Amino acid sequence: MQSVKLSRYIEWIDGGLLFAALLLLTYGLEKYGLFEPHEGHFAGVAREMILRGNWVTPTLNGAPYLNKPPLLYWSIATSFKLFGFHEFAARIPIALAGWLGVVVAWWWSRQIWGVVASRATVILLSTSVGWFIFAHQLLIDELLGTLLLGMMYCLWRLTVQPKSHIFFVAAYLLLGLAVLAKGILALAFWAAGCGAIALTYRRWQTVGLFRPLLGICISAATVAPWCVAVERDNPGFLQYFLLNENFKRVLDTRWPPDYSISKISPWGYVAVSALWCLPWVFVLPPALQSLYHAWRRGLSSQSPSNDRQRSDALTLLGVLAALPILMFLPLSSRLYYYSIPALPPLAMAAGHWWSTAWHGKSERARVWIGWVMVGLGVAIATGLIWLPQRVIGFFPELAQTQGVQTIVTVQLIGLGVGFVGSGIFLLREQLAIALVLLWFGFGTTWATVIQGFKTVQDFRSSKTLVLQAKDRLQDAPLWIFEGSRELGVAGSMSFYLNPSGFSGFKGTKSADSILAAPKMSAVRSTRAIGLSDGRSLQTPTRPDGAISADWVVTPIGILYQTVAVLTDAGSNRLPPSFPGEPPPTLITKAQMQQFWSSDRPVVFVTDFLRRPDDPRDPPTLNLPKDAGEPLLEIGPRKLYGNASARKLWLK
């Protein structure tokens, strides 16, 4: 009876920890607009999948956008279908993927190291800088990290239960999903994991445990249907995707090039990878040393089966921890978030060290880690005096933003309390309290990080500008964006212009004929479009009577507005080039000037990603003639209007 009660008590503790991790990783998803260009890109494509009823060809701003596999798009689109078009629905799939990564890490840690290690892993992974931040941003890497962790776990179970059909099928389904998430890069992790196990056994026949030929067929069956369908609808896609988005990306010759602001030097990449592991990065040196010795013990032919199984697990976890860092170090194409998939296995290593300290081992390491945390906490406390002002000094554009200094101050207090408190209780050998204080300190910090995201929203999102302008300009003006290397900004602007579009289109022309309109041309008049709910919408028409090309009528009867983008606004903001015809929303500055001089209301939005200190790229570089003063200025974005738009603005 007592053992049953104890078991239930343990289950309640673990359930509570996992639920708290879920709350932390999903906190505040709805509090800030879509950051650009990355969140506007993913949310924009997913939204258009729903509006167009086409889940095969990703489209953004009304045209095919073929640079990423579809898994993240599909997950966000499913969320939009369930919850509606808003920021929470866009971000919840990645947040849940991050939480599932915590669950897998917890379960795997419990199986190889026990209860204490698994609980410490939950706390450490969910509070780590990188895992929290990228659970709140629409990027693929945290989803990829969870899929790869699940795949490695299933491969490990195959070393324990070679005849298990469940883990065999699951491993290769997860590999296929990882390919659908990030591309063929996922195959490198699978090959490295299988090869590493074979090397530890010193017999290549060991690869047969994983039945690679049959397994790859399962993964191919997961990926192939979409590849065939998208190639059928977009001839040339596979060649473009494999060449431009995989091989050329590795060689840093991809077009469009990745933003230089996201690139990082080799030493910077190592440093930022360590930053993602805060607050427990100081635990990693003794943790990795201890696990190396445990791994070596398990390789002996006289080792017990449990040690052998732990050694196999450490081999696969070591591959997953090392490959995202080592693989990109020699490549100039490395971006600062590419190391995120390494966080779960590193957090598991830190959790294992915490469990050894819990049981009275690692005394020397426990003492010096405790003093390091206390010292760091004191240093952070002294930063309360000068760091908030220094942050504003580094980012002068934030000086006029209310609340920035308060947010930085609260974050410093949370970090200081977390580090000092955790360090003191580490020194006192009270490791449970040390973990709780670490979680409390960083949980407080992350709450203010979300507030910080909201505070800097107007620097990284078009939301405020579009909503305010849409409220003043009721007659559906033509929106023109100065452009950038990515179309995520234009996709985000289109998202906020009409998130769910206008359903129930009852126009006289077929959707196919309107979608086939090859180019934007001058507007002759407007036409009332009837909607199924009885409303009518005034939309501009071209000389041939078709709806203007900045409006899309989808085959399922939904109408939505897109944003025109300049194609000749400078070499640093040329749009991507995909297989097929150029989209009609790409226009030249000469065409923009024709629209600007017409009777149709036209607005022009400047690129917020330009470098203000670049004399070759002033904010006035691509303004239309007679632009005048901006109608609206939100953060680094300026919105200008032609004569017709100004009349509407002044009403």
Side-chain angles (χ1 to χ4, degrees), residues 370-567:
W371 281 116
V372 167
M373 286 188 169
V374 170
L376 184 61
V378 171
I380 289 172
T382 62
L384 286 169
I385 302 172
W386 55 271
L387 191 56
Q389 290 296 333
R390 184 63 60 88
V391 168
I392 292 177
F394 281 128
F395 304 100
E397 65 272 15
L398 297 178
Q400 305 302 318
T401 303
Q402 292 183 348
V404 170
Q405 188 162 342
T406 301
I407 289 170
V408 174
T409 301
V410 174
Q411 288 176 347
L412 291 175
I413 292 173
L415 292 175
V417 169
F419 277 125
V420 171
S422 184
I424 289 174
F425 282 98
L426 267 177
L427 293 171
R428 292 170 57 89
E429 299 185 58
Q430 294 176 290
L431 279 87
I433 300 176
L435 268 178
V436 169
L437 284 173
L438 205 62
W439 201 359
F440 171 79
F442 272 75
T444 302
T445 302
W446 298 147
T448 58
V449 164
I450 297 302
Q451 186 60 37
F453 284 163
K454 183 178 179 181
T455 300
V456 302
Q457 168 183 276
D458 292 342
F459 293 90
R460 295 302 311 272
S461 175
S462 299
K463 179 179 181 178
T464 304
L465 180 136
V466 172
L467 294 183
Q468 288 190 17
K470 189 173 69 168
D471 191 50
R472 295 285 294 270
L473 302 169
Q474 297 291 335
D475 288 0
L478 169 63
W479 284 73
I480 301 177
F481 174 53
E482 186 176 7
S484 67
R485 288 179 181 171
E486 301 281 355
L487 292 178
V489 180
S492 177
M493 292 166 63
S494 175
F495 183 99
Y496 287 114
L497 281 174
N498 37 63
S500 59
F502 301 96
S503 60
F505 172 69
K506 298 190 296 184
T508 56
K509 287 186 172 289
S510 71
D512 290 341
S513 67
I514 297 173
L515 287 171
K519 297 290 182 184
M520 287 192 71
S521 57
V523 171
R524 173 167 291 176
S525 61
T526 60
R527 187 174 77 188
I529 301 298
L531 302 177
S532 59
D533 60 3
R535 294 178 297 151
S536 65
L537 180 71
Q538 288 292 129
T539 57
T541 59
R542 305 181 315 177
D544 61 1
I547 294 175
S548 176
D550 61 307
W551 285 86
V552 174
V553 182
T554 73
I556 62 173
I558 293 179
L559 181 75
Y560 69 93
Q561 189 176 8
T562 59
V563 175
V565 180
L566 294 184
T567 61

Side-chain angles (χ1 to χ4, degrees), residues 2 20 56 91 93 109 212 309 434 437 474 477 630:
Q2 287 183 342
V56 172
R91 296 188 179 109
S109 294
Q309 292 172 11
L437 284 173
Q474 297 291 335

